[in-house]
Amino acid sequence: MTAKEQVRALFILLRKEVYRFFRIWSQTLIPSVLTTILYFLIFGTFIGERIGKMSGFDYMQFMAPGLVMLAVITNAYSNVVSSFFGVKFQRSIEELLVSPMPTYLILTGFVLGGVVRGIIVGFLVLFTSLIFTDITVQNVPLTLFVVVMTAFLFSIAGFLNALFADNFDDINIVPTFILTPLIYLGGVFYSVELLSNTWQIVSKANPLLYMVNAFRYGMIGVSDINVQFALLMIIIFIIAFFLLAYYLLKKGYGIRS
């Protein structure tokens, strides 16, 4: 395929992915907004008044960046894992694999679909947050970079989950037993400085802590960890996960019998 044909093929695959989640927008875009409203009403209004300040900010302001990242991570992940497992289950992925489209473009197309959904939902959650609290983004380039890279990383993670999954139950194991605990223990609702030294060390083994704090630093200017190290970790994970996903897809792991 020529470069122009590759770009066109990637655009068509991405358009299909975007159309897929827009077609069922009430199931893919709205739930995160409703969940955010509940978080602000319960944690922000009722519990936040008792907590007061967190890292020098109103609790709602502190919590808002974490909720945006929560929405980006879960939506980017779930979009790719459900989409790719669907074409894998229907065996339509074989049509893509035998086409002239390079393997890395197939992977990129599915991943970009998750990135687009994650970013769209992230902005919806951010706009919803503005109803409850005032937020002034301190570093726009850093904030955008972190949200795009995080969406990219978890889109690839969702792709890997779909590759390894043998049935529909398997695609729920990782989000339920691994992703969700890591998210809620990743500093979304609290500062790790409140924890004991032992639990701070344990928390710093959670990769999501770095993503949440890097994003929070970009938005309100505070972070519990070194931002440069957090960005480095995100990039390293993206490269490692992408290469692994490309290798497995190229070998036909979980697809070819």
Side-chain angles (χ1 to χ4, degrees), residues 181-251:
L182 288 178
I183 289 174
Y184 285 98
L185 295 174
V188 173
F189 299 103
Y190 60 88
S191 169
V192 294
E193 293 180 353
L194 299 176
L195 304 177
S196 64
N197 291 332
T198 301
W199 280 106
Q200 285 190 35
I201 295 174
V202 173
S203 295
K204 288 178 181 179
N206 181 356
L208 271 69
L209 176 71
Y210 298 93
M211 300 169 198
V212 170
N213 275 274
F215 185 71
R216 181 175 285 129
Y217 182 83
M219 288 195 66
I220 62 177
V222 296
S223 175
D224 295 329
I225 48 89
N226 182 279
V227 176
Q228 287 76 17
F229 180 72
L231 296 177
L232 177 62
M233 291 296 293
I234 294 173
I235 294 172
I236 290 175
F237 274 114
I238 288 175
I239 295 174
F241 279 27
F242 189 89
L243 291 177
L244 176 60
Y246 172 78
Y247 173 79
L248 293 175
L249 183 61
K250 186 76 173 177
K251 292 293 184 180

Side-chain angles (χ1 to χ4, degrees), residues 33-34 36-37 40 123-133:
V33 174
L34 297 179
T36 299
I37 293 174
F40 272 108
F123 274 108
L124 290 176
V125 170
L126 177 60
F127 293 143
T128 304
S129 301
L130 295 176
I131 300 174
F132 297 92
T133 185

